[in-house]
Structures are given as structure tokens and as C-alpha cells.
Amino acid sequence: AQKVTQAQTEISVVEKEDVTLDCVYETRDTTYYLFWYKQPPSGELVFLIRRNSFDEQNEISGRYSWNFQKSTSSFNFTITASQVVDSAVYFCALSEKDNYGQNFVFGPGTRLSVLP
Amino acid sequence: GAGVSQSPRYKVAKRGQDVALRCDPISGHVSLFWYQQALGQGPEFLTYFQNEAQLDKSGLPSDRFFAERPEGSVSTLKIQRTQQEDSAVYLCASSLGALGGALSWFFGPGTRLTVL
């Protein structure tokens, strides 16, 4: 069975600090997809990134970067020089190949508060 | 519209009342999901439609929950005889493609249901 763990329930940082959100996953499949979503107070889930299990290259997008390590089943997300607008709940999610959304499993989320 | 819309955004129901939650997916999107997000938790799968066909309803928590998408576009999630444990945010997501893997999901803002 697949599972996503986000051990950090809440994180508070001061603006301009860097912050890393942890994500550890479990799956028996060799082909799977990992995601990060942002959920601001408005409630919508905003897609941030998708990685497939065969692509372990780290990725950087502006102030966001992702570290995918298959050896430790982790897909951590770092925000550099955080801003108040980054305050939200962030969800890591896992989807196994060739299945419907039942296999799109979300972690419990990490609430990030960026203080001015 | 440009994105997935849901209505109402907020619904307060008395225990035992029936409710109907609506999802308008992005035009042309084949796949549609419903998720339930309890307070402080990640979204959990309820049901999946491919066009008008409900291909997976294994996540529906009881027979009080019913979903339909009769013309393959708008979907309605109906909850009969609501209970307090039904209080949650109900999220709808749509995708252009028909396969799993949740490659390009767009989420709506959700309907926050409170059962008194």
C-alpha cells in the first residue's frame, strides 16, 4: 500500500529565511509519480511540481527547489528566501502508474507560516 | 470558465438534511475526481469519473454518498441524511486525460460543508 508522510505539521519562519519541507513516501511500484501542491487560505490546491520515479534529477524553479532521493524515498521541497505569500499548507502526494485517483495519495500536509 | 469551479463554496446543514455539491470541471476534461478533506488532513479519494462513467467509487464512505456526472461534464456529489462526521471540504479535480497518474490535475476551490 502506498503512503506519504510529512512529519512536520507546522513550520514558522521569518521572511527571507530558507525552509525545507520534508516528504517521505512508500510504494511497491517501480513506476510512480510524486507531486507537491500548495493550498493557500482560499482552499484551492495549486500544482507545484510533478516528478516521475525514473527522473531523480533535482529541480529548481525560481525560489523553489526539490530534492528527490529514491534511496531514502524522500522528495523534499525547499523554499529559498521565503516570503509572506508562501504561507500556506503544502501537500506532498504520490500516484502509482496506471491506476485511478484512488492511488493518488496525499500526505497530511505541512502548514508553513512566514512571518514578516 | 478558466478553472474548475464548485458551488456552493460554503454549506451549513442540519444533521439529517440532504445536500448536493456541484462541480464544474474545465471544459473538455475527461476525468473528474471528488476528494474529501477533513480539517487538518490531506484530501482523500472519494470517486472517479471518466466522462459520464463512474469507474471507481470505492472511496465513498457510506451508501449515503452518491455522485453522478450524467452528461460527462458537470458533476454532483450528494450526501443524504448528513452526519456530523461528514463535515469537511469537498474538492473536485479535473484532468484532460483519461489515464491515472494524475498528471495534470486542476483542483477547484472546494465546498466547505459543516453539519450541525
Side-chain angles (χ1 to χ4, degrees):
Chain A
Q2 55 180 3
K3 184 179 176 182
V4 176
T5 301
Q6 295 177 256
Q8 305 145 308
T9 305
E10 293 191 37
I11 301 177
S12 288
V13 298
V14 177
E15 206 170 18
K16 299 184 183 176
E17 284 184 9
D18 298 347
V19 58
T20 295
L21 310 182
D22 297 335
C23 173
V24 174
Y25 62 92
E26 294 176 28
T27 178
R28 295 179 185 170
D29 272 16
T30 55
T31 302
Y32 51 89
Y33 302 89
L34 294 164
F35 302 78
W36 275 95
Y37 280 86
K38 174 182 180 180
Q39 189 174 46
S42 59
E44 274 181 71
L45 282 166
V46 179
F47 168 82
L48 296 179
I49 190 171
R50 174 189 74 239
R51 301 310 299 271
N52 73 58
S53 52
F54 296 107
D55 182 1
E56 289 191 69
Q57 279 194 341
N58 291 328
E59 183 160 336
I60 297 175
S61 176
R63 296 184 298 106
Y64 296 168
S65 62
W66 290 270
N67 184 345
F68 178 26
Q69 294 202 349
K70 240 174 156 176
S71 60
T72 56
S73 297
S74 65
F75 186 43
N76 296 338
F77 171 33
T78 296
I79 303 174
T80 303
S82 59
Q83 300 176 1
V84 173
V85 293
D86 296 328
S87 297
V89 180
Y90 291 85
F91 291 97
C92 181
L94 165 71
S95 179
E96 293 172 342
K97 176 181 176 292
D98 291 342
N99 285 296
Y100 302 125
Q102 181 184 6
N103 284 336
F104 192 2
V105 174
F106 286 85
T110 297
R111 180 177 298 278
L112 174 64
S113 298
V114 181
L115 308 174
Chain B
V4 178
S5 61
Q6 293 185 246
S7 60
R9 290 294 312 277
Y10 302 92
K11 176 69 179 177
V12 177
K14 292 184 179 178
R15 192 175 57 169
Q17 189 178 347
D18 297 349
V19 298
L21 313 180
R22 177 186 168 107
C23 172
D24 281 86
I26 295 174
S27 179
H29 275 199
V30 168
S31 294
L32 186 146
F33 279 75
W34 283 98
Y35 285 86
Q36 181 190 56
Q37 186 176 15
L39 187 64
Q41 297 182 24
E44 293 190 357
F45 168 80
L46 291 177
T47 186
Y48 167 69
F49 288 88
Q50 184 175 307
N51 295 310
E52 69 279 3
Q54 189 175 20
L55 298 185
D56 190 339
K57 55 181 180 180
S58 61
L60 296 177
S62 78
D63 59 8
R64 296 185 295 103
F65 286 70
F66 172 75
E68 60 183 5
R69 194 185 184 198
E71 296 178 0
S73 55
V74 171
S75 178
T76 303
L77 176 67
K78 298 179 180 177
I79 309 174
Q80 296 177 324
R81 303 181 304 281
T82 52
Q83 303 294 316
Q84 284 189 323
E85 62 262 27
D86 300 335
S87 295
V89 174
Y90 291 85
L91 293 166
C92 175
S94 72
S95 175
L96 183 63
L99 295 176
L103 298 183
S104 298
W105 292 107
F106 295 85
F107 282 83
T111 294
R112 182 177 296 278
L113 173 64
T114 303
V115 181
L116 303 177

Short mmCIF file of all heavy atoms in Angstrom, two decimals, chain A residues 16-51:
data_model
loop_
_atom_site.label_atom_id
_atom_site.label_comp_id
_atom_site.label_asym_id
_atom_site.label_seq_id
_atom_site.Cartn_x
_atom_site.Cartn_y
_atom_site.Cartn_z
N LYS A 16 12.45 35.76 4.41
CA LYS A 16 13.81 35.68 3.84
C LYS A 16 14.60 34.48 4.33
O LYS A 16 15.69 34.22 3.79
CB LYS A 16 14.62 36.96 4.06
CG LYS A 16 13.98 38.19 3.40
CD LYS A 16 14.84 39.41 3.54
CE LYS A 16 14.13 40.62 2.93
NZ LYS A 16 14.90 41.87 3.12
N GLU A 17 14.07 33.76 5.29
CA GLU A 17 14.74 32.53 5.69
C GLU A 17 14.45 31.44 4.65
O GLU A 17 13.43 31.46 3.97
CB GLU A 17 14.23 32.04 7.05
CG GLU A 17 14.76 32.79 8.23
CD GLU A 17 14.29 32.17 9.53
OE1 GLU A 17 13.70 31.08 9.51
OE2 GLU A 17 14.50 32.80 10.58
N ASP A 18 15.36 30.47 4.56
CA ASP A 18 15.11 29.30 3.74
C ASP A 18 14.38 28.26 4.59
O ASP A 18 14.59 28.18 5.81
CB ASP A 18 16.44 28.69 3.25
CG ASP A 18 17.23 29.65 2.38
OD1 ASP A 18 16.67 30.68 1.94
OD2 ASP A 18 18.42 29.36 2.13
N VAL A 19 13.54 27.47 3.94
CA VAL A 19 12.81 26.45 4.70
C VAL A 19 12.66 25.20 3.82
O VAL A 19 12.45 25.30 2.62
CB VAL A 19 11.42 26.98 5.13
CG1 VAL A 19 10.57 27.43 3.95
CG2 VAL A 19 10.68 25.96 5.97
N THR A 20 12.81 24.05 4.45
CA THR A 20 12.67 22.77 3.74
C THR A 20 11.52 21.98 4.33
O THR A 20 11.45 21.78 5.55
CB THR A 20 13.97 21.95 3.82
OG1 THR A 20 15.01 22.65 3.12
CG2 THR A 20 13.78 20.58 3.17
N LEU A 21 10.64 21.54 3.46
CA LEU A 21 9.52 20.72 3.85
C LEU A 21 9.83 19.27 3.46
O LEU A 21 10.16 18.99 2.31
CB LEU A 21 8.24 21.20 3.14
CG LEU A 21 7.94 22.69 3.22
CD1 LEU A 21 6.63 23.02 2.53
CD2 LEU A 21 7.92 23.17 4.66
N ASP A 22 9.69 18.40 4.43
CA ASP A 22 10.07 17.00 4.21
C ASP A 22 8.89 16.16 3.71
O ASP A 22 7.74 16.38 4.10
CB ASP A 22 10.60 16.39 5.51
CG ASP A 22 11.86 17.08 6.00
OD1 ASP A 22 12.58 17.67 5.17
OD2 ASP A 22 12.11 17.05 7.22
N CYS A 23 9.22 15.19 2.89
CA CYS A 23 8.22 14.24 2.40
C CYS A 23 8.88 12.89 2.23
O CYS A 23 9.91 12.76 1.55
CB CYS A 23 7.65 14.70 1.06
SG CYS A 23 6.53 13.49 0.28
N VAL A 24 8.31 11.88 2.87
CA VAL A 24 8.79 10.51 2.73
C VAL A 24 7.63 9.67 2.23
O VAL A 24 6.51 9.82 2.71
CB VAL A 24 9.31 9.97 4.08
CG1 VAL A 24 9.68 8.50 3.97
CG2 VAL A 24 10.53 10.78 4.54
N TYR A 25 7.89 8.80 1.29
CA TYR A 25 6.80 8.02 0.70
C TYR A 25 7.10 6.53 0.74
O TYR A 25 8.24 6.11 0.89
CB TYR A 25 6.54 8.48 -0.75
CG TYR A 25 7.72 8.27 -1.66
CD1 TYR A 25 7.87 7.09 -2.38
CD2 TYR A 25 8.72 9.24 -1.76
CE1 TYR A 25 8.97 6.89 -3.20
CE2 TYR A 25 9.83 9.04 -2.58
CZ TYR A 25 9.94 7.87 -3.30
OH TYR A 25 11.03 7.66 -4.10
N GLU A 26 6.04 5.76 0.60
CA GLU A 26 6.16 4.30 0.49
C GLU A 26 5.32 3.83 -0.69
O GLU A 26 4.17 4.22 -0.84
CB GLU A 26 5.61 3.62 1.76
CG GLU A 26 6.39 3.88 3.02
CD GLU A 26 5.73 3.24 4.23
OE1 GLU A 26 5.04 2.21 4.05
OE2 GLU A 26 5.87 3.78 5.35
N THR A 27 5.92 2.99 -1.49
CA THR A 27 5.20 2.38 -2.60
C THR A 27 5.88 1.10 -3.01
O THR A 27 7.10 0.97 -2.85
CB THR A 27 5.11 3.34 -3.80
OG1 THR A 27 4.43 2.68 -4.88
CG2 THR A 27 6.49 3.78 -4.27
N ARG A 28 5.12 0.17 -3.55
CA ARG A 28 5.70 -1.08 -4.05
C ARG A 28 5.95 -1.00 -5.55
O ARG A 28 6.63 -1.86 -6.11
CB ARG A 28 4.76 -2.25 -3.76
CG ARG A 28 4.58 -2.52 -2.30
CD ARG A 28 3.62 -3.68 -2.07
NE ARG A 28 3.36 -3.87 -0.65
CZ ARG A 28 2.42 -4.68 -0.18
NH1 ARG A 28 1.65 -5.36 -1.01
NH2 ARG A 28 2.23 -4.82 1.11
N ASP A 29 5.40 0.02 -6.17
CA ASP A 29 5.57 0.15 -7.61
C ASP A 29 6.96 0.68 -7.95
O ASP A 29 7.56 1.43 -7.17
CB ASP A 29 4.54 1.12 -8.18
CG ASP A 29 3.25 0.41 -8.55
OD1 ASP A 29 3.06 -0.73 -8.10
OD2 ASP A 29 2.45 0.99 -9.29
N THR A 30 7.43 0.30 -9.11
CA THR A 30 8.69 0.87 -9.58
C THR A 30 8.45 2.12 -10.41
O THR A 30 9.35 2.93 -10.60
CB THR A 30 9.46 -0.16 -10.44
OG1 THR A 30 8.61 -0.59 -11.51
CG2 THR A 30 9.86 -1.36 -9.59
N THR A 31 7.23 2.27 -10.89
CA THR A 31 6.86 3.46 -11.64
C THR A 31 5.80 4.22 -10.87
O THR A 31 4.74 3.67 -10.55
CB THR A 31 6.31 3.10 -13.04
OG1 THR A 31 7.29 2.36 -13.75
CG2 THR A 31 5.96 4.36 -13.80
N TYR A 32 6.12 5.44 -10.54
CA TYR A 32 5.17 6.24 -9.77
C TYR A 32 5.49 7.71 -9.99
O TYR A 32 6.50 8.06 -10.61
CB TYR A 32 5.23 5.89 -8.27
CG TYR A 32 6.62 5.91 -7.68
CD1 TYR A 32 7.16 7.08 -7.13
CD2 TYR A 32 7.40 4.75 -7.66
CE1 TYR A 32 8.43 7.09 -6.59
CE2 TYR A 32 8.68 4.77 -7.12
CZ TYR A 32 9.20 5.93 -6.59
OH TYR A 32 10.46 5.94 -6.06
N TYR A 33 4.59 8.56 -9.51
CA TYR A 33 4.74 10.00 -9.67
C TYR A 33 4.64 10.66 -8.30
O TYR A 33 3.85 10.24 -7.46
CB TYR A 33 3.65 10.56 -10.58
CG TYR A 33 3.63 9.93 -11.95
CD1 TYR A 33 2.88 8.78 -12.20
CD2 TYR A 33 4.35 10.49 -12.99
CE1 TYR A 33 2.87 8.20 -13.45
CE2 TYR A 33 4.34 9.91 -14.24
CZ TYR A 33 3.60 8.77 -14.48
OH TYR A 33 3.60 8.20 -15.71
N LEU A 34 5.42 11.67 -8.12
CA LEU A 34 5.40 12.44 -6.88
C LEU A 34 5.03 13.87 -7.20
O LEU A 34 5.43 14.42 -8.23
CB LEU A 34 6.78 12.40 -6.21
CG LEU A 34 7.19 11.02 -5.70
CD1 LEU A 34 8.69 10.99 -5.42
CD2 LEU A 34 6.41 10.66 -4.45
N PHE A 35 4.28 14.48 -6.30
CA PHE A 35 3.78 15.82 -6.51
C PHE A 35 3.94 16.66 -5.25
O PHE A 35 3.99 16.14 -4.13
CB PHE A 35 2.27 15.79 -6.81
CG PHE A 35 1.87 14.96 -8.00
CD1 PHE A 35 1.82 13.57 -7.92
CD2 PHE A 35 1.55 15.56 -9.19
CE1 PHE A 35 1.44 12.81 -9.01
CE2 PHE A 35 1.17 14.81 -10.29
CZ PHE A 35 1.12 13.43 -10.20
N TRP A 36 3.99 17.94 -5.47
CA TRP A 36 3.79 18.90 -4.38
C TRP A 36 2.67 19.85 -4.81
O TRP A 36 2.64 20.32 -5.96
CB TRP A 36 5.06 19.70 -4.09
CG TRP A 36 6.00 19.01 -3.17
CD1 TRP A 36 7.08 18.23 -3.51
CD2 TRP A 36 5.96 19.02 -1.74
NE1 TRP A 36 7.70 17.77 -2.37
CE2 TRP A 36 7.04 18.24 -1.28
CE3 TRP A 36 5.12 19.64 -0.80
CZ2 TRP A 36 7.32 18.05 0.09
CZ3 TRP A 36 5.39 19.45 0.54
CH2 TRP A 36 6.47 18.67 0.97
N TYR A 37 1.76 20.09 -3.86
CA TYR A 37 0.69 21.04 -4.05
C TYR A 37 0.73 22.07 -2.92
O TYR A 37 1.08 21.75 -1.78
CB TYR A 37 -0.68 20.35 -4.03
CG TYR A 37 -1.06 19.66 -5.31
CD1 TYR A 37 -0.65 18.35 -5.56
CD2 TYR A 37 -1.83 20.31 -6.27
CE1 TYR A 37 -1.01 17.71 -6.74
CE2 TYR A 37 -2.19 19.67 -7.45
CZ TYR A 37 -1.77 18.38 -7.67
OH TYR A 37 -2.13 17.76 -8.83
N LYS A 38 0.31 23.27 -3.26
CA LYS A 38 0.18 24.34 -2.27
C LYS A 38 -1.30 24.63 -2.08
O LYS A 38 -2.06 24.71 -3.06
CB LYS A 38 0.90 25.60 -2.80
CG LYS A 38 0.72 26.84 -1.93
CD LYS A 38 1.43 28.03 -2.57
CE LYS A 38 1.28 29.28 -1.74
NZ LYS A 38 1.98 30.46 -2.34
N GLN A 39 -1.73 24.76 -0.84
CA GLN A 39 -3.12 25.10 -0.55
C GLN A 39 -3.15 26.39 0.26
O GLN A 39 -2.99 26.38 1.48
CB GLN A 39 -3.83 23.96 0.19
CG GLN A 39 -5.34 24.18 0.31
CD GLN A 39 -6.05 22.98 0.90
OE1 GLN A 39 -5.61 22.42 1.91
NE2 GLN A 39 -7.17 22.57 0.29
N PRO A 40 -3.36 27.51 -0.41
CA PRO A 40 -3.45 28.78 0.32
C PRO A 40 -4.78 28.86 1.06
O PRO A 40 -5.63 27.98 0.89
CB PRO A 40 -3.37 29.82 -0.81
CG PRO A 40 -3.84 29.10 -2.02
CD PRO A 40 -3.48 27.65 -1.85
N PRO A 41 -4.97 29.90 1.85
CA PRO A 41 -6.22 30.03 2.61
C PRO A 41 -7.48 29.98 1.74
O PRO A 41 -8.54 29.61 2.22
CB PRO A 41 -6.05 31.39 3.30
CG PRO A 41 -4.58 31.54 3.45
CD PRO A 41 -3.98 30.92 2.22
N SER A 42 -7.37 30.32 0.48
CA SER A 42 -8.54 30.27 -0.40
C SER A 42 -9.05 28.84 -0.62
O SER A 42 -10.18 28.64 -1.04
CB SER A 42 -8.22 30.91 -1.75
OG SER A 42 -7.14 30.23 -2.36
N GLY A 43 -8.20 27.86 -0.36
CA GLY A 43 -8.66 26.47 -0.41
C GLY A 43 -8.28 25.68 -1.64
O GLY A 43 -8.26 24.45 -1.59
N GLU A 44 -7.97 26.35 -2.73
CA GLU A 44 -7.61 25.59 -3.93
C GLU A 44 -6.27 24.91 -3.77
O GLU A 44 -5.37 25.44 -3.14
CB GLU A 44 -7.50 26.55 -5.13
CG GLU A 44 -8.80 26.81 -5.81
CD GLU A 44 -8.63 27.74 -6.99
OE1 GLU A 44 -8.06 27.32 -8.01
OE2 GLU A 44 -9.06 28.89 -6.89
N LEU A 45 -6.14 23.76 -4.36
CA LEU A 45 -4.86 23.08 -4.41
C LEU A 45 -4.14 23.55 -5.67
O LEU A 45 -4.63 23.37 -6.78
CB LEU A 45 -5.04 21.58 -4.43
CG LEU A 45 -5.35 20.93 -3.09
CD1 LEU A 45 -5.83 19.51 -3.28
CD2 LEU A 45 -4.12 20.96 -2.19
N VAL A 46 -2.98 24.14 -5.48
CA VAL A 46 -2.20 24.67 -6.59
C VAL A 46 -1.05 23.74 -6.88
O VAL A 46 -0.22 23.47 -6.01
CB VAL A 46 -1.69 26.09 -6.27
CG1 VAL A 46 -0.85 26.62 -7.43
CG2 VAL A 46 -2.85 27.02 -5.97
N PHE A 47 -1.01 23.25 -8.11
CA PHE A 47 0.04 22.32 -8.52
C PHE A 47 1.39 23.04 -8.53
O PHE A 47 1.51 24.14 -9.08
CB PHE A 47 -0.30 21.79 -9.91
CG PHE A 47 0.80 21.04 -10.60
CD1 PHE A 47 1.01 19.72 -10.30
CD2 PHE A 47 1.61 21.66 -11.52
CE1 PHE A 47 2.02 19.02 -10.95
CE2 PHE A 47 2.61 20.97 -12.17
CZ PHE A 47 2.82 19.64 -11.88
N LEU A 48 2.42 22.41 -7.96
CA LEU A 48 3.75 22.99 -7.97
C LEU A 48 4.71 22.20 -8.84
O LEU A 48 5.44 22.76 -9.65
CB LEU A 48 4.30 23.06 -6.54
CG LEU A 48 3.56 23.97 -5.57
CD1 LEU A 48 4.21 23.91 -4.19
CD2 LEU A 48 3.54 25.41 -6.08
N ILE A 49 4.71 20.88 -8.64
CA ILE A 49 5.66 20.07 -9.40
C ILE A 49 5.21 18.62 -9.46
O ILE A 49 4.49 18.15 -8.57
CB ILE A 49 7.08 20.12 -8.77
CG1 ILE A 49 8.10 19.47 -9.73
CG2 ILE A 49 7.09 19.47 -7.41
CD1 ILE A 49 9.54 19.66 -9.30
N ARG A 50 5.61 17.94 -10.52
CA ARG A 50 5.42 16.50 -10.68
C ARG A 50 6.75 15.89 -11.11
O ARG A 50 7.42 16.41 -11.98
CB ARG A 50 4.38 16.23 -11.75
CG ARG A 50 4.20 14.78 -12.11
CD ARG A 50 3.31 14.61 -13.32
NE ARG A 50 3.95 14.99 -14.55
CZ ARG A 50 3.49 15.94 -15.35
NH1 ARG A 50 2.40 16.61 -15.04
NH2 ARG A 50 4.12 16.23 -16.48
N ARG A 51 7.14 14.80 -10.48
CA ARG A 51 8.32 14.06 -10.89
C ARG A 51 7.95 12.61 -11.06
O ARG A 51 7.17 12.06 -10.29
CB ARG A 51 9.44 14.14 -9.84
CG ARG A 51 9.92 15.51 -9.49
CD ARG A 51 10.24 16.32 -10.73
NE ARG A 51 11.29 15.74 -11.55
CZ ARG A 51 12.59 15.99 -11.38
NH1 ARG A 51 12.99 16.77 -10.41
NH2 ARG A 51 13.47 15.47 -12.20
#
